[in-house]
Amino acid sequence: MTAAARNPLAILSREDCKVQSLTVSDQHATLLLTSRTDEKAPDDGDEISATTDDQNTTTKTTQSLLKLTIVPFHKQLLGSNPVLSQEDIEKGQVAERNCLRHDPSASDKILSFLKQYTFQLSSDSGEEYSYYTASPEKGKSDPKDNEDMLSGIGKFDVELISPATPNQISRAMPSLGHVLIEETPKMYFECTKPYIQTVVDSGSLSWIKNLVEVKKEKERLLLNHDDFIINIDTKWRSHPPPLTTPREEWMNHPSTVDLYCLGICKQSGITCLRDLTSEHIPMLKGMMKEGLAAIKSIYGVDHDQIRVFIHYQPQFYHFHVHFTRLENEVGCSVERGHLVSDVIQNLLLEDYYKKRTITYKLKKGTALESIIGAYLEEHRD
Amino acid sequence: MTAAARNPLAILSREDCKVQSLTVSDQHATLLLTSRTDEKAPDDGDEISATTDDQNTTTKTTQSLLKLTIVPFHKQLLGSNPVLSQEDIEKGQVAERNCLRHDPSASDKILSFLKQYTFQLSSDSGEEYSYYTASPEKGKSDPKDNEDMLSGIGKFDVELISPATPNQISRAMPSLGHVLIEETPKMYFECTKPYIQTVVDSGSLSWIKNLVEVKKEKERLLLNHDDFIINIDTKWRSHPPPLTTPREEWMNHPSTVDLYCLGICKQSGITCLRDLTSEHIPMLKGMMKEGLAAIKSIYGVDHDQIRVFIHYQPQFYHFHVHFTRLENEVGCSVERGHLVSDVIQNLLLEDYYKKRTITYKLKKGTALESIIGAYLEEHRD
C-alpha cells in the first residue's frame, strides 16, 4: 500500500468507508476504519476477500486503526458507534466478531466530522504505522454549523495503523477482561514458543528493521548505540511534536510526567524474557545505563524517577525495554512487568527463565489466549 | 482513648476542631482533623504537647484521619481547605510541615456539613481504626438550606483513624512524588532493618493481634486457618456493608470488580520480604491456595482473575499477602509488588532475598525515605 493511500483522508474518503469506535476516554479515542479497495495487496491475513458480481473483479476489505488524542468535547460524537455494546461485553462476546457491524448514520456523522480536518504527516515507520497532526480546515466545513465548534477544538494528534492486522485490532478492542496464566516451562516449550515462532515468521516485525537501522522515525531517536537504540515510545502521546519542536524545549517539558521511552535491541532473535541468558547481561546493563543517561541529558529527569522493565508477554517479539516515569503506571503491573535490575540478577543463576513457571495476564479473546486455553483443555488431568 | 471519643461526631464537635482536606477525588476524600483534648493518653508520638496558662493543665493536640466515600457533588466543598497548596507541591514542600495550617472559614463550612450526619459504627479494629456509615439527619440540618441537598446525597462510608500517627498522616498526604531505591543487602542490614525494628518495637502493630485472634472485625473474616486469616481489606470500599449484608448476597456481587482481600500470617516476627526463607514456603502455598478457594466459594471469582502478591516495602511490618482482582490495579506496580508464585520459587534458591539488591519506590517525605536519603548521603563515594 502506498504512503498516499495511508493518509487518513484518503482512507476516510473511500466511498464505502465505515467507522466504529473501539475505545473513547476523555483524552483518547481509537477508531476502526473498514473500507473496500481494488488495490492489489499481499494476503497477509488483514484483509477479507470478497468476489463481486461485475467482471470477476476481486475487491478486498481493509481495516485500519485511527488513534486520536482528543478533547472531552469529542467524546459523545466519537463514541456514538461502538464496536461492542455494553450487552456484548456483559455476555463476554469475543471481540473480533463485531468488527464489521456498524450503525450507518453514526458512522457517517463521524466521517464527516473527521473529513473537516487536514492531516499532516509528522512521523512514519515505513510500514503500517504513521503519525499525523490533524488541523481544522475552515474552508472545508460548513461555516454555519461548524466554524465555532472547530475553532474551539483546534488540532489533535493522530496515529494511523493501516492496514491493521487482526492482532492489532484485537489489542485495540474494548477489554473483555484478562486471564492469569501460570506458564510452566513445559507449557512454554510445547505451546507458547511455537506460537511466538509463527508470529516472528509472519514477517510482522519489518517495521523494527527500519527503526534500528534509523531509516524511519529519526525524529524519535534519542540514542543510537552499537547494540541498541533508545526512542520516544509512541504511547507517550503528550510529547511535543518531535519533528517540529527544537530539542532544547524537551528539557523539563511538562509532558515528562508521562515519560515513556523504549530501548530496542539491534540483534534480532531474542523474542522474549524466556530467551535471555547470562550472555545478554552486558546488553541489558548498557541499555539501562545509557538509556537513563540519555533521558537525563535530554529531558532532565533523574534515574530515580524512572522504572526500567520488560514485558512478558511482550507486545511484539523483538527484544525491547520500557522506560517509564514512576507516575505513569501504564503497563507496569506485577503480572506483566519485570524490572531489568531484577532480570540482570536472575540471569546470574543458571537457566533461570528457562526453568521458571512464569505467571502473566493475557487479554481474553486474543490468539495466544485461545491457543493456551486449548492446550490446557487438552492437557487436563 | 475510649470508643465514644473516637466517634467522628465526638471529634468534630470539640470546640477547637479544625479540618483540612488531604486528597479529594470524584469518589473518595481524606480529611485531617486536628483538635485539642485534656484527656490523658500515652505519649506515643501522635500528639503534640502544649502547656496552657490555666492551672498548669497539659492539653494535647490530637490528629485524626477521616476517609469518606463520597459523591462528586461533595468534591468542591471538601476540597476547599487543602493541606498543601499547588504551590507547596511544586516547591516539593515536605508534607508534615503544614498539618496545622488551616483556613478557618473553609474548615467551619466542612465541619458544619459533616455535623449534619449521624455516624453509625459498622466495624472497629479495637485500636485506632473504625468504620462508620454516615446518614443525613434531617432534624439537625437547617431545612431551608440543606433539606434538598441532603436528600439527594444520601449515605456515605467513613473510615476513621484516631488518633493518627505521623506515619499514618504522612501516608494520607497528597503525594510529593516518589523515589526509586536500589536497596543492596548492605543497605538493608545497616539502614532499613534497624528502621523496621524501631517501628515494630513502637507497638504500632497491636491492632493486628486483635485481627488474628478474631477479637475484632469478625464481620470481615473470610477464613480462619491455623497459620493465617483471610480478611476483606479495608481498601475494598465498594464491598457491601459486611455487618448487615447477608453473606449469600456477596456471591457475584457487582463490587467484586474491586475485589481486595488480605491474608495475615498469625506468627509474628516476619516483618517483610527480606525475612522470608524456605521454611515459609508451606505457609505461603497454604495462604495462596486456601485464600483463592475462600474467594471462589464466597464471591464466585475464579483463581485466574486474582493476583496474589506482597509489597516491599509493606505498609505495616507484620507479614501479609494481597489478593486483588486483575482489573483493580491499586498498589500492584512492578516496583512494589512481588507475586507469591514467584516468591515461592525464589525461596527454593538459597538466601535469595537476603542476597538481592531489591528495587522499590518510596514516597518522598516519609520517615524511611529521609533515613535512606541520609544513609546514602553519608555513604557516597
Side-chain angles (χ1 to χ4, degrees):
Chain A
M1 192 169 287
T2 65
R6 274 205 323 275
N7 182 292
L9 261 193
I11 297 171
L12 294 165
S13 298
R14 285 183 199 146
E15 206 170 283
D16 60 353
C17 183
K18 310 289 181 233
V19 56
Q20 284 180 283
S21 52
L22 300 186
T23 57
V24 180
S25 74
D26 281 350
Q27 291 195 293
H28 301 294
T30 298
L31 304 174
L32 178 67
L33 309 180
T34 304
S35 59
R36 299 208 294 175
T37 169
D38 293 330
E39 193 178 353
K40 190 75 194 138
D43 189 8
D44 55 5
D46 55 343
E47 304 190 341
I48 300 155
S49 291
T51 306
T52 56
D53 287 342
D54 46 57
Q55 302 167 325
N56 277 340
T57 308
T58 301
T59 60
K60 301 208 172 207
T61 300
T62 302
Q63 298 192 303
S64 309
L65 291 167
L66 198 63
K67 301 184 180 185
L68 286 65
T69 305
I70 58 171
V71 294
F73 180 86
H74 298 133
K75 191 173 170 180
Q76 197 177 2
L77 173 66
L78 297 177
S80 63
N81 192 25
V83 76
L84 280 186
S85 66
Q86 193 52 42
E87 198 185 329
D88 289 336
I89 291 171
E90 277 159 18
K91 280 191 298 193
Q93 194 79 36
V94 172
E96 280 84 351
R97 288 202 190 138
N98 296 320
C99 281
L100 299 175
R101 194 180 70 179
H102 68 279
D103 168 354
S105 75
S107 170
D108 287 349
K109 274 182 212 156
I110 300 174
L111 280 172
S112 74
F113 168 76
L114 291 173
K115 286 182 188 173
Q116 292 163 28
Y117 286 79
T118 52
F119 295 80
Q120 192 181 358
L121 187 72
S122 61
S123 190
D124 172 18
S125 73
E127 299 294 332
E128 69 268 38
Y129 299 96
S130 51
Y131 304 89
Y132 297 83
T133 304
S135 310
E137 195 177 18
K138 295 194 174 186
K140 275 185 161 182
S141 64
D142 182 341
K144 291 189 299 296
D145 295 339
N146 295 307
E147 199 76 37
D148 286 348
M149 186 180 89
L150 287 177
S151 65
I153 295 169
K155 298 177 179 186
F156 54 81
D157 295 327
V158 174
E159 176 186 344
L160 176 68
I161 306 178
S162 183
T165 64
N167 259 339
Q168 287 163 331
I169 293 168
S170 171
R171 276 203 304 272
M173 282 281 165
S175 177
L176 294 168
H178 293 83
V179 66
L180 210 59
I181 306 288
E182 289 188 64
E183 185 186 84
T184 61
K186 184 170 184 291
M187 268 174 75
Y188 169 72
F189 285 109
E190 293 182 359
C191 178
T192 313
K193 190 171 157 59
Y195 165 77
I196 291 173
Q197 199 55 50
T198 62
V199 176
V200 171
D201 292 344
S202 75
S204 67
L205 294 173
S206 49
W207 59 276
I208 296 274
K209 201 169 173 327
N210 287 322
L211 283 195
V212 298
E213 293 176 0
V214 197
K215 287 182 179 163
K216 288 288 172 182
E217 299 193 22
K218 288 190 187 81
E219 68 283 2
R220 293 185 160 271
L221 184 73
L222 302 177
L223 179 74
N224 188 1
H225 183 277
D226 283 351
D227 296 333
F228 52 84
I229 59 166
I230 310 285
N231 267 28
I232 306 163
D233 195 287
T234 55
K235 286 188 286 300
W236 183 0
R237 296 197 195 177
S238 64
H239 193 290
L243 206 54
T244 53
T245 313
R247 291 224 165 185
E248 54 271 24
E249 289 179 26
W250 298 8
M251 177 63 78
N252 298 317
H253 192 274
S255 73
T256 59
V257 296
D258 305 319
L259 190 142
Y260 202 138
C261 297
L262 199 66
I264 305 177
C265 178
K266 288 190 175 177
Q267 180 195 334
S268 61
I270 313 172
T271 63
C272 68
L273 181 65
R274 293 274 195 191
D275 284 344
L276 291 177
T277 66
S278 58
E279 72 178 279
H280 301 117
I281 291 178
M283 181 267 290
L284 290 168
K285 284 188 171 173
M287 259 184 161
M288 193 162 165
K289 189 180 168 198
E290 305 289 333
L292 289 171
I295 287 168
K296 172 70 180 168
S297 72
I298 294 167
Y299 296 106
V301 179
D302 284 326
H303 70 96
D304 67 2
Q305 298 302 303
I306 309 276
R307 68 171 80 70
V308 189
F309 64 108
I310 68 179
H311 280 154
Y312 188 73
Q313 296 284 327
Q315 191 181 332
F316 54 90
Y317 294 107
H318 177 111
F319 188 73
H320 60 282
V321 166
H322 304 261
F323 297 79
T324 58
R325 189 97 186 224
L326 291 180
E327 281 73 19
N328 176 6
E329 298 206 332
V330 170
C332 74
S333 65
V334 62
E335 71 277 10
R336 190 166 186 213
H338 298 257
L339 287 176
V340 171
S341 54
D342 284 337
V343 171
I344 289 170
Q345 293 181 81
N346 290 335
L347 290 176
L348 293 170
L349 306 166
E350 205 181 333
D351 288 340
Y352 187 91
Y353 291 108
K354 294 208 167 36
K355 294 190 303 196
R356 297 281 287 194
T357 291
I358 303 181
T359 301
Y360 57 86
K361 73 177 165 195
L362 282 180
K363 255 187 171 179
K364 282 187 188 168
T366 53
L368 183 55
E369 194 261 331
S370 309
I371 290 167
I372 288 182
Y375 175 89
L376 289 175
E377 187 65 30
E378 195 182 315
H379 289 78
R380 246 203 321 214
D381 300 330
Chain B
M1 191 171 287
T2 65
R6 274 207 321 276
N7 183 291
L9 260 193
I11 297 170
L12 294 166
S13 298
R14 286 186 200 144
E15 207 171 281
D16 60 352
C17 183
K18 310 288 181 231
V19 55
Q20 284 180 281
S21 51
L22 301 186
T23 57
V24 180
S25 75
D26 281 350
Q27 291 194 294
H28 301 295
T30 299
L31 303 175
L32 178 67
L33 308 179
T34 304
S35 59
R36 298 208 295 174
T37 170
D38 292 329
E39 194 178 351
K40 190 74 195 138
D43 190 9
D44 56 5
D46 56 341
E47 305 192 340
I48 299 155
S49 291
T51 306
T52 56
D53 287 341
D54 46 57
Q55 302 164 324
N56 277 341
T57 309
T58 301
T59 60
K60 300 205 175 212
T61 300
T62 303
Q63 298 192 302
S64 309
L65 290 167
L66 198 65
K67 300 184 180 185
L68 287 65
T69 305
I70 58 172
V71 294
F73 179 85
H74 297 135
K75 189 174 173 182
Q76 201 178 358
L77 173 65
L78 298 177
S80 63
N81 193 24
V83 75
L84 279 187
S85 65
Q86 192 52 41
E87 199 185 329
D88 289 334
I89 291 170
E90 277 160 18
K91 280 191 298 193
Q93 195 79 37
V94 172
E96 281 83 350
R97 290 204 190 136
N98 296 319
C99 281
L100 299 175
R101 194 180 69 180
H102 68 280
D103 168 355
S105 74
S107 171
D108 287 349
K109 273 182 211 156
I110 300 174
L111 279 171
S112 73
F113 168 76
L114 291 173
K115 286 182 188 172
Q116 291 164 29
Y117 286 79
T118 52
F119 295 82
Q120 191 180 359
L121 187 72
S122 61
S123 189
D124 172 18
S125 73
E127 300 293 333
E128 70 268 38
Y129 299 95
S130 52
Y131 303 88
Y132 298 83
T133 304
S135 310
E137 195 177 15
K138 293 193 178 188
K140 276 186 162 184
S141 63
D142 182 342
K144 291 190 299 299
D145 295 339
N146 295 308
E147 200 76 39
D148 285 351
M149 187 179 87
L150 285 177
S151 64
I153 294 169
K155 297 178 181 187
F156 54 82
D157 294 328
V158 174
E159 175 186 346
L160 176 68
I161 306 178
S162 183
T165 64
N167 259 341
Q168 287 164 330
I169 293 168
S170 171
R171 276 203 303 273
M173 283 279 165
S175 177
L176 295 168
H178 292 82
V179 67
L180 210 60
I181 305 287
E182 287 187 66
E183 186 186 83
T184 61
K186 184 172 184 293
M187 266 174 74
Y188 169 71
F189 285 109
E190 293 183 359
C191 177
T192 313
K193 189 171 158 56
Y195 165 77
I196 291 173
Q197 200 54 51
T198 63
V199 176
V200 171
D201 292 344
S202 76
S204 66
L205 295 172
S206 49
W207 61 276
I208 296 273
K209 199 168 170 341
N210 286 323
L211 285 193
V212 297
E213 292 175 3
V214 196
K215 288 182 179 162
K216 289 288 173 180
E217 297 192 24
K218 289 190 186 81
E219 69 282 2
R220 293 184 161 271
L221 183 73
L222 301 177
L223 180 74
N224 187 2
H225 184 277
D226 284 351
D227 296 333
F228 51 84
I229 59 166
I230 309 286
N231 267 28
I232 307 163
D233 194 288
T234 55
K235 286 188 287 297
W236 184 359
R237 298 200 194 175
S238 63
H239 194 289
L243 205 56
T244 53
T245 314
R247 290 224 167 187
E248 54 271 25
E249 290 179 25
W250 299 7
M251 178 61 80
N252 298 317
H253 192 273
S255 73
T256 59
V257 295
D258 305 317
L259 190 141
Y260 201 138
C261 297
L262 200 65
I264 304 179
C265 180
K266 289 192 175 177
Q267 181 195 333
S268 61
I270 313 172
T271 64
C272 69
L273 181 64
R274 293 274 195 190
D275 285 343
L276 291 176
T277 66
S278 58
E279 71 178 279
H280 300 117
I281 291 176
M283 181 267 290
L284 290 167
K285 283 188 173 171
M287 260 184 160
M288 193 162 164
K289 189 179 167 199
E290 304 291 333
L292 289 170
I295 286 167
K296 172 71 181 168
S297 73
I298 294 167
Y299 298 105
V301 179
D302 284 324
H303 70 95
D304 68 2
Q305 298 301 304
I306 310 276
R307 68 171 81 69
V308 189
F309 65 108
I310 67 177
H311 280 154
Y312 188 72
Q313 295 285 325
Q315 192 181 329
F316 55 90
Y317 294 107
H318 177 112
F319 188 73
H320 59 282
V321 165
H322 304 261
F323 297 79
T324 58
R325 188 98 187 223
L326 291 180
E327 281 74 17
N328 176 7
E329 298 206 333
V330 171
C332 75
S333 64
V334 63
E335 70 278 9
R336 189 164 186 214
H338 298 257
L339 288 175
V340 172
S341 55
D342 284 337
V343 171
I344 289 170
Q345 293 180 82
N346 289 335
L347 290 175
L348 293 170
L349 306 167
E350 205 182 332
D351 287 341
Y352 187 89
Y353 290 109
K354 294 210 168 34
K355 295 189 303 193
R356 295 281 287 195
T357 291
I358 303 182
T359 300
Y360 57 86
K361 73 177 164 195
L362 282 181
K363 255 189 173 179
K364 282 186 188 170
T366 53
L368 183 55
E369 194 261 330
S370 308
I371 289 166
I372 289 182
Y375 175 89
L376 290 176
E377 187 66 31
E378 195 183 314
H379 290 76
R380 248 203 320 215
D381 300 330

